[in-house]
Structures are given as structure tokens and as C-alpha cells.
Amino acid sequence: QLTGLSEDTLQGDAVYKELFEKLEHYSEIDISDCPDLGPILFSVAALNEGALFKGTKRLRIKESDRCAAMQSELRKFGVDIKCIENEVFIPKSEIKKPTEILYAHNDHRILMALCVLLSKTGGSIRDAQAVNKSFPNYFEVIKTLGAKVKMGHCALYSFVGFFFSCITPSASGGQPMQIYFMKKDKLPIPVTTLVLMIVTITYKAVL
């Protein structure tokens, strides 16, 4: 049961209930007036009978290129999504558990849409902090719905850094081993290096 939603709201997302019902079957849906619903609608369509979405060009100028981001991530579930200039086609698909780590593209809408699929298949996703923009307690809420959420990888990377800093000369082994473990999780080396650089600069600034 959802609470805190006004029936008189002018917010475009208020049409979600009507659109979710349409997606119980294959549908053609224009989301020109509610583009922020795009990512979650794509996920729901992938779980059901597929859909053709029109009016999608504004999704390319949000926090991320949401068409490209969802295309990249849904393909990891085995969904052959097609994105053209102002349309997105999602075929009826058999959702599979991803064999790769998902990325939220630092976009809260992408993250939450993908987590809906992960609640069915299981898997891992990066950029979990993206929910802080709009729904900081998102993971606590979905836990109450029965989803199992683990936030362990960041702690693992920190432990690896401390451990190998302690056992290598001049504490030289910590960051290289953190990069190694992140690479095992298929995180790009340029990204991991940048993250560790930001952490180091922040640490020095605080001190």
C-alpha cells in the first residue's frame, strides 16, 4: 500500500498506475508528458509482454542518457531493447540473471528501475548512492517488501586497502590491491583510479 500520494497532483508521474495496467499486455505508450517514468516503464515492460514507447527523446538529456543507459543495462538481462530517435521498443523477453555487474550511470531513476528487475533475478549494481538525490531510504523501503539488499562491496574494498597497506613496505600495496579487486568486479581501471584519487584528496583535505 502506497501512502502520501495526492489524487489531485499535477506531477506527471501520477499516471503511473494507468500505465502499469496497460503494460500487463503489449502496448504502445506515449511518454512525452511523463519522461521521468521511462526507466521504470521499460523495466515493467521487460517483465511483462514488451511495449513500444514513443516520445522518448527527452530521456537523452536527463541526469544520464536514459535511453542509452537502459539499453546497455537491460541487455545484461537478455532484453534486446531498441532505441531510435524518439522511440524505444522492448520485445517480450525471458528475463535472465545478469552475469555482469549493472551500472546506475549515477542516475537515481536508472538505479531504482534496475533494482526492480534485480529483485526478481538477483545480481549486483554499482552507483547505489544515486538514490540520495530523490529517495535516500529507498533500500530500506524495498527491504520491507521482502527484497534482500547487501551493501558489502564498499566495505570489502576498504578492508583490502587497510590489510595490504599493513603488510607491504611503506604501505604501498593498499591501493593497487583495491584496484585489482575492483577490476575483478569488472569496474574499469580509469574509474577505480579516479575514485581512489578522490578518496585520497578528501582524506588529505580533512586532515
Side-chain angles (χ1 to χ4, degrees):
Q1 181 180 357
L2 295 176
T3 59
L5 299 179
S6 171
E7 293 184 0
D8 300 323
T9 182
L10 298 178
Q11 219 280 340
D13 289 4
V15 299
Y16 79 93
K17 185 176 181 180
E18 173 189 342
L19 298 184
F20 282 6
E21 290 175 353
K22 285 185 177 181
L23 289 173
E24 293 177 3
H25 309 282
Y26 178 85
S27 300
E28 294 187 6
I29 296 175
D30 190 326
I31 59 172
S32 300
D33 295 330
C34 55
D36 285 338
L37 284 177
I40 185 60
L41 293 176
F42 298 170
S43 289
V44 173
L47 286 170
N48 291 319
E49 301 296 317
L52 175 63
F53 296 95
K54 299 181 179 181
T56 60
K57 62 182 179 181
R58 288 171 58 194
L59 272 70
R60 298 189 180 276
I61 54 172
K62 295 292 184 175
E63 286 86 339
S64 67
D65 180 340
R66 289 178 174 167
C67 287
M70 288 300 288
Q71 181 178 49
S72 174
E73 304 310 317
L74 283 179
R75 284 181 172 172
K76 296 176 184 178
F77 289 94
V79 180
D80 189 20
I81 173 176
K82 306 290 186 184
C83 297
I84 55 177
E85 182 178 355
N86 200 31
E87 293 183 352
V88 171
F89 172 68
I90 298 182
K92 182 177 180 180
S93 307
E94 182 180 348
I95 300 295
K96 302 175 182 177
K97 181 176 180 178
T99 57
E100 302 176 58
I101 293 175
L102 304 182
Y103 295 95
H105 300 261
N106 201 30
D107 188 325
H108 58 133
R109 296 272 185 169
I110 299 294
L111 175 73
M112 292 186 283
L114 294 175
C115 283
V116 169
L117 295 176
L118 288 177
S119 69
K120 180 177 178 64
T121 65
S124 299
I125 189 167
R126 296 286 183 258
D127 298 332
Q129 75 284 352
V131 293
N132 292 330
K133 177 172 182 179
S134 60
F135 200 164
N137 63 332
Y138 174 74
F139 292 107
E140 285 70 27
V141 171
I142 63 172
K143 283 180 183 179
T144 67
L145 300 176
K148 296 180 180 179
V149 180
K150 296 181 180 179
M151 308 288 283
H153 283 274
C154 290
L156 172 63
Y157 300 147
S158 296
F159 174 79
V160 165
F162 284 124
F163 177 76
F164 284 97
S165 291
C166 290
I167 66 172
T168 53
S170 302
S172 60
Q175 290 182 337
M177 290 306 297
Q178 285 177 310
I179 292 173
Y180 170 75
F181 273 83
M182 291 186 209
K183 187 175 184 297
K184 285 182 64 178
D185 286 338
K186 298 184 180 179
L187 291 170
I189 288 180
V191 173
T192 61
T193 303
L194 177 61
V195 168
L196 292 177
M197 184 182 300
I198 292 172
V199 170
T200 300
I201 293 172
T202 304
Y203 176 75
K204 295 296 184 182
V206 171
L207 290 182

